[in-house]
């Protein structure tokens, strides 16, 4: 048996609940070493550095 709702939920109330399911653009910051756009608190893909320190050797 499934749950049976007691009252009808209006379209406005339903759509208000679904209004927050929107996509957001990723937050990008400039790498302090090379200036390339990257996601914050992650190793830069272009130069391999994190906070002025080289973490990954990139060719």
């Amino acid at each position: 048996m499934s749950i049976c709702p007691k009252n009808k939920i209006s379209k406005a109330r339903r759509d208000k609940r679904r209004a927050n399911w929107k996509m957001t653009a990723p937050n990008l910051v400039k790498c302090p070493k090379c200036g390339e756009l990257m996601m914050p608190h992650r190793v830069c893909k272009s130069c391999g550095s994190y906070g002025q320190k080289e973490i990954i050797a990139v060719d």
Side-chain angles (χ1 to χ4, degrees):
M1 285 176 60
S2 64
I3 297 171
C4 189
K6 293 275 186 190
N7 299 320
K8 178 180 177 176
I9 296 176
S10 67
K11 294 173 192 166
R13 185 176 283 263
R14 177 198 67 196
D15 293 343
K16 267 194 267 185
R17 186 178 64 244
R18 293 179 182 173
N20 296 316
W21 279 75
K22 54 184 173 282
M23 302 250 327
T24 57
N27 187 24
L28 299 175
V29 296
K30 281 189 176 182
C31 175
K33 194 169 182 184
C34 68
E36 191 76 25
L37 287 177
M38 57 177 253
M39 292 185 75
H41 305 286
R42 284 166 179 78
V43 175
C44 180
K45 291 181 180 177
S46 62
C47 65
S49 65
Y50 179 77
Q52 301 286 356
K53 294 180 185 175
E54 188 173 335
I55 306 296
I56 301 169
V58 178
D59 295 334

